Amino acid sequence: MPSSQPDVMDKLVSLAKRRGFIFQSSEIYGGTGSVWDYGPLGVELKKNIKDRWWHALVRMRDDVEGIDAAILMHPRVWEASGHVAGFVDPLVDCKVCKGRFRADKLQDARCPQKPSKKPGEAEQCQLTEPRQFNLMFKTFMGALEDSASVVYLRPETAQGIFVNFLNVQQSTRQKVPFGIAQIGKAFRNEITPGNFTFRTREFEQMEMQFFVDPNADHMQWFEYWKEQRMQWHLDLGLQRDRLNFHAHGPTELAHYAKAAFDIEFDFGGTLGFQEIEGVHHRSDFDLGRHQEYSGKKLEYYDQPNNRRFVPYVIETSVGADRVTLAALANAYREEEVAGEAEGRVVLGLHPAIAPIKAGIFPLVKKDGMPEYAEKLGHELRKRFPVFYDEAGAIGRRYRRQDEVGTPFCLTVDGQTLQDGTVTVRDRDTLTQERVAADRVGAFLAEKLEG
């Protein structure tokens, strides 16, 4: 689908660095390609999104359990999953510029020497024949670097769930249908990463595998999780017209999958609609393969009906980094303000995921206002991430908080010292109201729910 949104990616990259959301990794050494560090505000935003996912998938449900599987796994895991033999992309090299490109994504790439053209279109381009390139990072475990000590950095978190299926089911006494969820790092040696944090070599996944009876209503569970996951993104504050379901066609569908849909978000500009989450019906492929390669039975015992079976799996897999980037792109806006020539930049983040919940300001640095504001900040900090600021004009302090997505600003002024109320300014409506200082905590808690 074509994008209906403006391209704000360059502005987001600039804002992210300036305000402490995201920095390029190892920047003082020239940076590491497509690897990013989350700064003080970025780590809070991403953590809030992860906590919201965990709360919705694990804590609010009695049929989903959480785990945290190790990154390093037995190499046979990746043979069974098909990653050793099949986790490959076709790679072509240019003999002239030495660039490397995915052969199946040349239409999305640009020639380093002629950015207006795609690789192979410029006269000087000399592309090689495609060759298969495995995307897994390989390393060694132990003292010797030989074939017997090869291990891989996991390219996905799902396999840690599959190999622990019986451990979790038996220890929790869960009955099918039930799910297992986890959040963790994964690594892919992408040939052509890019678009800020959208496609990176190190990233974080939030995955849930839901195990169902193959003789029961497994397709109804697939439709159920499609609806649940779309609603989660809407509840996060992403605009409905920027979200879309994309069904995998016959050429996209994995050989073991019965159905697959991507939830896409419109990032704007040339990036447009891109996948931020996948909802996949994986049949019994994964458990079946691990049962075959390990020699261990991975069957569920249905005691009331005295039958054993390998469950089908409905997977929901969402990129924490991609959703964080989507939340930033969704929230970014530039507004004109009456009486001001420069206007303002606003991150209209959902209050529940905003890194800072309230800015606290003394109107002036005298008459006891700073002391009062600092005391208020000390009390609120026990419950919320707040930011105290007394530097510069009050308008500039408002603008700084608008730019990082802070939903409320509390100002201690002359009236505060008389009646104990503070001015509460709303980021989105710019309306102001007086609230008793001893009720501000309850006021924020009510506004931040949801």
Side-chain angles (χ1 to χ4, degrees):
M1 290 180 62
S3 173
S4 61
Q5 302 294 328
D7 190 348
V8 299
M9 201 59 67
D10 288 343
K11 294 177 179 179
L12 276 182
V13 173
S14 175
L15 184 150
K17 180 179 179 181
R18 185 173 69 256
R19 293 304 188 197
F21 281 93
I22 302 170
F23 310 124
Q24 187 173 22
S25 178
S26 313
E27 185 180 25
I28 63 171
Y29 290 99
T32 302
S34 293
V35 182
W36 301 90
D37 298 334
Y38 285 81
L41 295 186
V43 73
E44 287 290 336
L45 173 61
K46 187 178 173 184
K47 183 179 185 300
N48 290 342
I49 290 172
K50 291 189 294 183
D51 287 347
R52 195 172 174 86
W53 183 88
W54 192 263
H55 184 74
L57 268 291
V58 180
R59 291 186 175 159
M60 289 289 291
R61 303 184 64 100
D62 60 6
D63 59 352
V64 179
E65 305 288 348
I67 66 166
D68 182 9
I71 289 173
L72 298 177
M73 304 179 72
H74 195 289
R76 288 280 284 172
V77 168
W78 306 112
E79 294 177 27
S81 67
H83 283 84
V84 172
F87 194 55
V88 295
D89 278 341
L91 168 71
V92 296
D93 294 283
C94 179
K95 296 178 180 179
V96 177
C97 71
K98 309 303 180 186
R100 287 181 171 172
F101 315 96
R102 277 183 59 173
D104 59 338
K105 297 287 185 180
L106 288 178
Q107 69 276 10
D108 299 329
R110 289 292 175 265
C111 174
Q113 295 185 350
K114 294 283 186 179
S116 63
K117 295 183 178 295
K118 301 169 186 175
E121 288 186 341
E123 291 183 8
Q124 68 269 33
C125 289
Q126 296 182 33
L127 300 183
T128 63
E129 290 297 315
R131 56 191 174 90
Q132 297 302 314
F133 173 77
N134 194 289
L135 302 181
M136 285 197 295
F137 282 100
K138 183 187 297 186
T139 186
F140 301 92
M141 183 179 288
L144 298 178
E145 294 189 4
D146 56 26
S147 59
S149 61
V150 168
V151 292
Y152 302 94
L153 299 185
R154 65 184 181 193
E156 64 178 27
T157 58
Q159 300 306 319
I161 293 176
F162 295 131
V163 299
N164 278 298
F165 164 67
L166 281 185
N167 288 335
V168 174
Q169 188 272 315
Q170 292 173 355
S171 64
T172 61
R173 295 185 294 119
Q174 281 280 5
K175 293 180 173 58
V176 167
F178 79 98
I180 303 175
Q182 77 164 326
I183 300 174
K185 286 289 186 81
F187 307 84
R188 295 183 184 180
N189 195 10
E190 295 279 2
I191 299 167
T192 54
N195 289 315
F196 198 22
T197 56
F198 177 77
R199 180 174 285 109
T200 58
R201 293 186 170 100
E202 176 184 341
F203 54 95
E204 204 158 6
Q205 289 182 304
M206 305 184 292
E207 292 199 319
M208 192 276 298
Q209 311 296 327
F210 199 75
F211 302 92
V212 297
D213 188 335
N215 292 343
D217 52 356
H218 50 89
M219 287 307 298
Q220 289 184 34
W221 277 112
F222 178 74
E223 294 299 326
Y224 168 84
W225 281 112
K226 274 178 58 184
E227 295 175 8
Q228 289 290 307
R229 297 308 306 144
M230 177 62 82
Q231 189 60 50
W232 184 84
H233 290 283
L234 293 170
D235 293 342
L236 199 67
L238 301 187
Q239 297 172 34
R240 184 64 186 88
D241 61 355
R242 299 184 73 161
L243 290 167
N244 177 58
F245 272 123
H246 167 72
H248 285 213
T251 60
E252 300 173 280
L253 202 63
H255 64 89
Y256 54 81
K258 290 189 174 294
F261 277 77
D262 292 336
I263 297 176
E264 297 180 327
F265 174 78
D266 184 1
F267 287 90
T270 56
L271 189 56
F273 279 90
Q274 298 289 340
E275 176 194 357
I276 57 175
E277 176 161 5
V279 182
H280 306 137
H281 189 316
R282 299 179 68 112
S283 69
D284 58 0
F285 173 80
D286 300 278
L287 291 180
R289 292 275 289 191
H290 287 302
Q291 182 170 263
E292 175 188 349
Y293 275 68
S294 69
K296 307 291 185 182
K297 290 290 186 183
L298 296 179
E299 297 173 331
Y300 172 76
Y301 177 52
D302 178 8
Q303 191 171 19
N305 297 303
N306 192 29
R307 59 185 279 258
R308 295 182 181 274
F309 59 85
V310 176
Y312 279 176
V313 174
I314 311 299
E315 173 185 71
T316 72
S317 177
V318 56
D321 305 275
R322 290 189 177 185
V323 173
T324 301
L325 182 60
L328 288 170
N330 182 82
Y332 184 91
R333 64 180 189 264
E334 299 173 1
E335 295 180 345
E336 294 182 359
V337 180
E340 295 185 18
E342 61 185 37
R344 66 172 188 155
V345 171
V346 186
L347 281 184
L349 295 167
H350 189 301
I353 63 172
I356 302 170
K357 306 307 182 189
I360 302 173
F361 314 140
L363 184 62
V364 293
K365 291 190 286 186
K366 61 181 181 180
D367 300 332
M369 294 183 199
E371 291 79 8
Y372 195 110
E374 286 180 341
K375 181 180 178 182
L376 177 62
H378 177 74
E379 289 301 315
L380 292 176
R381 196 168 283 113
K382 297 174 183 178
R383 300 174 61 186
F384 312 103
V386 298
F387 184 82
Y388 176 85
D389 190 0
E390 61 179 31
I394 191 71
R396 288 192 175 276
R397 284 179 270 171
Y398 283 151
R399 294 294 175 263
R400 287 196 288 262
Q401 293 306 307
D402 290 342
E403 197 173 34
V404 299
T406 304
F408 302 102
C409 289
L410 317 176
T411 302
V412 172
D413 53 24
Q415 186 176 338
T416 307
L417 305 179
Q418 297 174 13
D419 62 12
T421 64
V422 298
T423 299
V424 180
R425 172 191 178 267
D426 185 283
R427 174 197 66 203
D428 298 320
T429 65
L430 299 180
T431 57
Q432 298 186 15
E433 61 180 300
R434 305 293 302 191
V435 177
D438 59 3
R439 289 199 62 255
V440 167
F443 173 89
L444 290 178
E446 180 182 347
K447 295 291 187 179
L448 296 171
E449 285 182 357

Short mmCIF file of all heavy atoms in Angstrom, two decimals, residues 4-32:
data_model
loop_
_atom_site.label_atom_id
_atom_site.label_comp_id
_atom_site.label_asym_id
_atom_site.label_seq_id
_atom_site.Cartn_x
_atom_site.Cartn_y
_atom_site.Cartn_z
N SER A 4 0.50 7.39 3.01
CA SER A 4 -0.19 8.68 3.01
C SER A 4 0.43 9.63 4.02
O SER A 4 -0.10 10.71 4.28
CB SER A 4 -1.67 8.47 3.35
OG SER A 4 -1.81 7.89 4.64
N GLN A 5 1.57 9.22 4.61
CA GLN A 5 2.20 9.99 5.67
C GLN A 5 3.49 10.64 5.18
O GLN A 5 4.19 10.08 4.33
CB GLN A 5 2.50 9.08 6.87
CG GLN A 5 1.29 8.39 7.44
CD GLN A 5 0.30 9.35 8.07
OE1 GLN A 5 0.69 10.38 8.61
NE2 GLN A 5 -0.98 9.00 7.99
N PRO A 6 3.85 11.80 5.73
CA PRO A 6 5.11 12.44 5.34
C PRO A 6 6.31 11.66 5.85
O PRO A 6 6.20 10.86 6.80
CB PRO A 6 5.02 13.82 6.00
CG PRO A 6 4.11 13.61 7.18
CD PRO A 6 3.10 12.59 6.72
N ASP A 7 7.45 11.87 5.24
CA ASP A 7 8.69 11.22 5.65
C ASP A 7 9.33 12.04 6.77
O ASP A 7 9.79 13.16 6.56
CB ASP A 7 9.65 11.13 4.46
CG ASP A 7 10.86 10.25 4.77
OD1 ASP A 7 11.05 9.92 5.96
OD2 ASP A 7 11.60 9.91 3.84
N VAL A 8 9.30 11.51 7.99
CA VAL A 8 9.86 12.22 9.15
C VAL A 8 11.08 11.50 9.72
O VAL A 8 11.56 11.86 10.79
CB VAL A 8 8.80 12.40 10.26
CG1 VAL A 8 7.62 13.22 9.76
CG2 VAL A 8 8.32 11.05 10.80
N MET A 9 11.61 10.49 8.99
CA MET A 9 12.67 9.66 9.55
C MET A 9 13.92 10.47 9.87
O MET A 9 14.52 10.30 10.93
CB MET A 9 12.99 8.52 8.60
CG MET A 9 13.70 7.35 9.28
SD MET A 9 12.75 6.62 10.63
CE MET A 9 11.37 5.92 9.74
N ASP A 10 14.34 11.37 8.96
CA ASP A 10 15.53 12.17 9.23
C ASP A 10 15.32 13.06 10.46
O ASP A 10 16.24 13.25 11.27
CB ASP A 10 15.88 13.03 8.01
CG ASP A 10 16.44 12.21 6.87
OD1 ASP A 10 16.86 11.06 7.11
OD2 ASP A 10 16.45 12.70 5.73
N LYS A 11 14.13 13.59 10.61
CA LYS A 11 13.83 14.43 11.78
C LYS A 11 13.84 13.59 13.06
O LYS A 11 14.30 14.06 14.11
CB LYS A 11 12.48 15.13 11.60
CG LYS A 11 12.47 16.14 10.46
CD LYS A 11 11.09 16.75 10.28
CE LYS A 11 11.10 17.78 9.15
NZ LYS A 11 9.75 18.38 8.93
N LEU A 12 13.33 12.37 12.96
CA LEU A 12 13.33 11.49 14.13
C LEU A 12 14.75 11.12 14.55
O LEU A 12 15.06 11.07 15.74
CB LEU A 12 12.54 10.22 13.84
CG LEU A 12 11.03 10.26 14.02
CD1 LEU A 12 10.43 8.90 13.72
CD2 LEU A 12 10.65 10.70 15.42
N VAL A 13 15.60 10.83 13.57
CA VAL A 13 16.99 10.49 13.88
C VAL A 13 17.67 11.64 14.62
O VAL A 13 18.37 11.44 15.62
CB VAL A 13 17.77 10.13 12.59
CG1 VAL A 13 19.25 9.95 12.90
CG2 VAL A 13 17.21 8.87 11.96
N SER A 14 17.44 12.86 14.15
CA SER A 14 18.03 14.03 14.78
C SER A 14 17.47 14.25 16.18
O SER A 14 18.23 14.47 17.14
CB SER A 14 17.75 15.27 13.91
OG SER A 14 18.22 16.44 14.55
N LEU A 15 16.15 14.15 16.33
CA LEU A 15 15.53 14.32 17.64
C LEU A 15 15.99 13.24 18.61
O LEU A 15 16.26 13.51 19.79
CB LEU A 15 14.01 14.30 17.50
CG LEU A 15 13.17 14.56 18.76
CD1 LEU A 15 11.85 15.22 18.38
CD2 LEU A 15 12.88 13.28 19.54
N ALA A 16 16.08 12.00 18.12
CA ALA A 16 16.45 10.88 18.98
C ALA A 16 17.83 11.07 19.58
O ALA A 16 18.06 10.75 20.76
CB ALA A 16 16.40 9.57 18.19
N LYS A 17 18.76 11.59 18.81
CA LYS A 17 20.11 11.83 19.34
C LYS A 17 20.11 13.04 20.26
O LYS A 17 20.69 13.01 21.35
CB LYS A 17 21.10 12.02 18.21
CG LYS A 17 22.52 12.26 18.73
CD LYS A 17 23.54 12.44 17.62
CE LYS A 17 24.92 12.70 18.22
NZ LYS A 17 25.95 12.90 17.17
N ARG A 18 19.49 14.12 19.82
CA ARG A 18 19.52 15.38 20.57
C ARG A 18 18.89 15.24 21.95
O ARG A 18 19.37 15.81 22.94
CB ARG A 18 18.80 16.46 19.77
CG ARG A 18 18.87 17.86 20.37
CD ARG A 18 18.29 18.89 19.45
NE ARG A 18 16.83 18.78 19.28
CZ ARG A 18 16.23 18.28 18.22
NH1 ARG A 18 16.95 17.83 17.20
NH2 ARG A 18 14.91 18.23 18.15
N ARG A 19 17.81 14.47 22.05
CA ARG A 19 17.07 14.36 23.31
C ARG A 19 17.37 13.07 24.07
O ARG A 19 16.77 12.84 25.12
CB ARG A 19 15.57 14.45 23.03
CG ARG A 19 15.13 15.83 22.53
CD ARG A 19 15.53 16.92 23.50
NE ARG A 19 14.95 18.22 23.14
CZ ARG A 19 15.38 19.37 23.61
NH1 ARG A 19 16.41 19.40 24.44
NH2 ARG A 19 14.81 20.49 23.25
N GLY A 20 18.25 12.23 23.57
CA GLY A 20 18.66 11.07 24.36
C GLY A 20 17.77 9.86 24.22
O GLY A 20 17.63 9.07 25.16
N PHE A 21 17.16 9.66 23.04
CA PHE A 21 16.39 8.44 22.81
C PHE A 21 17.29 7.33 22.25
O PHE A 21 17.32 6.23 22.80
CB PHE A 21 15.25 8.71 21.82
CG PHE A 21 14.05 9.39 22.43
CD1 PHE A 21 13.93 10.77 22.41
CD2 PHE A 21 13.04 8.64 23.01
CE1 PHE A 21 12.82 11.39 22.98
CE2 PHE A 21 11.93 9.24 23.57
CZ PHE A 21 11.82 10.63 23.56
N ILE A 22 17.98 7.61 21.15
CA ILE A 22 18.75 6.57 20.47
C ILE A 22 20.04 7.18 19.93
O ILE A 22 20.03 8.25 19.32
CB ILE A 22 17.94 5.95 19.30
CG1 ILE A 22 16.62 5.35 19.82
CG2 ILE A 22 18.75 4.87 18.59
CD1 ILE A 22 15.66 4.94 18.72
N PHE A 23 21.17 6.47 20.17
CA PHE A 23 22.47 6.88 19.65
C PHE A 23 23.03 5.77 18.76
O PHE A 23 22.73 4.59 18.97
CB PHE A 23 23.48 7.12 20.79
CG PHE A 23 22.98 8.02 21.88
CD1 PHE A 23 22.98 7.58 23.20
CD2 PHE A 23 22.52 9.29 21.60
CE1 PHE A 23 22.53 8.40 24.23
CE2 PHE A 23 22.07 10.13 22.62
CZ PHE A 23 22.07 9.68 23.94
N GLN A 24 23.87 6.14 17.82
CA GLN A 24 24.57 5.11 17.05
C GLN A 24 25.59 4.43 17.93
O GLN A 24 26.32 5.07 18.69
CB GLN A 24 25.26 5.71 15.82
CG GLN A 24 25.85 4.63 14.91
CD GLN A 24 26.39 5.19 13.62
OE1 GLN A 24 26.70 6.37 13.53
NE2 GLN A 24 26.52 4.34 12.61
N SER A 25 25.67 3.11 17.84
CA SER A 25 26.60 2.35 18.68
C SER A 25 28.05 2.69 18.32
O SER A 25 28.40 2.79 17.14
CB SER A 25 26.36 0.86 18.51
OG SER A 25 27.27 0.10 19.28
N SER A 26 28.88 2.87 19.34
CA SER A 26 30.32 3.13 19.17
C SER A 26 30.58 4.34 18.29
O SER A 26 31.51 4.36 17.48
CB SER A 26 31.02 1.89 18.57
OG SER A 26 30.66 0.71 19.23
N GLU A 27 29.77 5.37 18.47
CA GLU A 27 29.83 6.53 17.58
C GLU A 27 31.19 7.21 17.59
O GLU A 27 31.67 7.69 16.56
CB GLU A 27 28.75 7.55 17.97
CG GLU A 27 28.66 8.74 17.03
CD GLU A 27 27.58 9.71 17.46
OE1 GLU A 27 27.24 9.74 18.66
OE2 GLU A 27 27.06 10.45 16.60
N ILE A 28 31.87 7.25 18.75
CA ILE A 28 33.16 7.94 18.82
C ILE A 28 34.23 7.22 17.99
O ILE A 28 35.28 7.80 17.69
CB ILE A 28 33.65 8.09 20.28
CG1 ILE A 28 33.88 6.73 20.93
CG2 ILE A 28 32.68 8.94 21.09
CD1 ILE A 28 34.55 6.82 22.30
N TYR A 29 33.97 5.97 17.59
CA TYR A 29 34.89 5.24 16.71
C TYR A 29 34.38 5.18 15.27
O TYR A 29 34.85 4.37 14.47
CB TYR A 29 35.10 3.82 17.24
CG TYR A 29 35.90 3.77 18.51
CD1 TYR A 29 35.28 3.64 19.74
CD2 TYR A 29 37.29 3.89 18.48
CE1 TYR A 29 36.01 3.61 20.92
CE2 TYR A 29 38.04 3.86 19.66
CZ TYR A 29 37.39 3.72 20.87
OH TYR A 29 38.13 3.69 22.03
N GLY A 30 33.41 6.00 14.96
CA GLY A 30 32.86 6.00 13.62
C GLY A 30 31.58 5.20 13.48
O GLY A 30 31.00 5.16 12.41
N GLY A 31 31.15 4.57 14.57
CA GLY A 31 29.90 3.83 14.57
C GLY A 31 30.01 2.41 14.06
O GLY A 31 30.95 2.05 13.35
N THR A 32 29.05 1.59 14.47
CA THR A 32 28.93 0.22 13.99
C THR A 32 27.68 0.15 13.12
O THR A 32 26.61 0.60 13.54
CB THR A 32 28.81 -0.77 15.17
OG1 THR A 32 29.96 -0.63 16.00
CG2 THR A 32 28.72 -2.21 14.67
#
